[in-house]
Amino acid sequence: MAPVNTQFSIAVHVLAAIAHFDGVFTSEVLAGTVNANPVFVKRILVKLSKAKLAKTTVGKSGGYGLARSPKSISLFDIYSAVNPPDAFAIHAYPKRRECVVSCNIKEVMGDVLVGTQKAVGRELTQTTLADVVARIRARSG
């Protein structure tokens, strides 16, 4: 099985932690909440900063905070910031002229892929970071 990309879920995790605790945290602290490599988490935080979802403060009490209200950050904003891979990949094997499936499958699956990506985008647009934090709080009692 192909490896999966976890950047989106980690990005949501760190932003949810910032929003839940309403503060500014170092990449090391945020990596600790994910239980992941701090360098990997820092790379994600840089992407979130470039997308203007997270802001960086420098100095002794520096770190990462939210650049916008959690209500104004959709999961699609976060998804777009980390440039995730497509939902699936279409094989690159050459076409065989004598096979009608071989001659048409890539185009048909290309259309399916476009529809799938649009559906993912629509779904993620409907959920905000504030919604995620509310669900976390509801589950934690």
Side-chain angles (χ1 to χ4, degrees), residues 74-76 119-129 131 135:
S74 74
L75 292 188
F76 185 72
V120 167
R122 278 191 306 273
E123 184 67 26
L124 294 178
T125 299
Q126 295 175 11
T127 305
T128 67
L129 183 60
D131 296 330
R135 289 180 188 176

Side-chain angles (χ1 to χ4, degrees), residues 67-126:
R68 301 187 339 224
S69 157
K71 290 180 181 179
S72 72
I73 299 174
S74 74
L75 292 188
F76 185 72
D77 294 331
I78 301 168
Y79 183 78
S80 299
V82 297
N83 301 316
D86 289 338
F88 60 87
I90 300 168
H91 72 77
Y93 295 110
K95 293 179 182 180
R96 295 191 57 147
R97 274 186 258 162
E98 64 276 6
C99 178
V100 67
V101 174
S102 179
C103 291
N104 294 288
I105 193 70
K106 289 180 186 176
E107 290 79 8
V108 170
M109 289 305 295
D111 293 342
V112 171
L113 178 57
V114 168
T116 302
Q117 292 298 116
K118 284 181 180 178
V120 167
R122 278 191 306 273
E123 184 67 26
L124 294 178
T125 299
Q126 295 175 11

Side-chain angles (χ1 to χ4, degrees), residues 4-140:
V4 294
N5 184 310
T6 59
Q7 289 187 44
F8 170 61
S9 64
I10 292 171
V12 173
H13 184 131
V14 297
L15 290 178
I18 293 169
H20 175 74
F21 295 109
D22 192 25
V24 175
F25 302 94
T26 65
S27 58
E28 290 80 15
V29 168
L30 292 168
T33 73
V34 179
N35 200 18
N37 182 308
V39 174
F40 180 61
V41 172
K42 178 124 181 163
R43 286 187 194 133
I44 293 170
L45 286 162
V46 167
K47 290 179 180 184
L48 295 170
S49 294
K50 286 182 180 177
K52 300 193 183 340
L53 301 176
K55 64 180 176 183
T56 353
T57 55
V58 292
K60 184 178 175 185
S61 60
Y64 292 88
L66 293 181
R68 301 187 339 224
S69 157
K71 290 180 181 179
S72 72
I73 299 174
S74 74
L75 292 188
F76 185 72
D77 294 331
I78 301 168
Y79 183 78
S80 299
V82 297
N83 301 316
D86 289 338
F88 60 87
I90 300 168
H91 72 77
Y93 295 110
K95 293 179 182 180
R96 295 191 57 147
R97 274 186 258 162
E98 64 276 6
C99 178
V100 67
V101 174
S102 179
C103 291
N104 294 288
I105 193 70
K106 289 180 186 176
E107 290 79 8
V108 170
M109 289 305 295
D111 293 342
V112 171
L113 178 57
V114 168
T116 302
Q117 292 298 116
K118 284 181 180 178
V120 167
R122 278 191 306 273
E123 184 67 26
L124 294 178
T125 299
Q126 295 175 11
T127 305
T128 67
L129 183 60
D131 296 330
V132 170
V133 172
R135 289 180 188 176
I136 291 167
R137 289 176 178 158
R139 291 181 60 88
S140 65

